[in-house]
Amino acid sequence: MGISIGSEAQEIALENASGEIISLNSLRGKVVLLDFWASWCGPCRKSLPILNEIRSQYSSQGFEVVAVNVDEKLADALKFLDN
């Protein structure tokens, strides 16, 4: 059984790079795009800046992007973001 359009997502709470906890519950009422990425992912180099631009453009209208890194080492993710 999958999730259908309009159904509520299960609660997810993750720590961001600054040590803050970001939860889906805290974003309730917004449209949330959940994006999984990794430092070794070539397409992510192109998509993350675009997603950031879209988020900036539509955040005042209740749109949010939560980018979840799947690297094994935090240092790899941070190095990717610094470039």
Side-chain angles (χ1 to χ4, degrees):
M1 172 154 90
I3 297 174
S4 61
I5 294 174
S7 63
E8 290 188 16
Q10 293 182 358
E11 170 59 358
I12 298 171
L14 300 169
E15 185 176 337
N16 69 13
S18 301
E20 301 169 293
I21 300 297
I22 304 296
S23 71
L24 284 184
N25 278 342
S26 70
L27 301 172
R28 188 162 306 282
K30 296 184 178 189
V31 174
V32 179
L33 182 124
L34 191 57
D35 180 64
F36 294 88
W37 67 277
S39 62
W40 44 262
C41 170
C44 296
R45 292 201 181 277
K46 292 183 179 181
S47 67
L48 285 177
I50 293 168
L51 290 174
N52 192 41
E53 184 177 315
I54 293 169
R55 180 198 170 275
S56 294
Q57 185 175 354
Y58 294 104
S59 64
S60 65
Q61 297 174 36
F63 179 77
E64 192 62 59
V65 175
V66 176
V68 180
N69 178 263
V70 295
D71 281 310
E72 290 184 20
K73 297 178 185 173
L74 177 60
D76 293 339
L78 296 176
K79 182 177 177 183
F80 174 93
L81 293 173
D82 281 341
N83 291 330

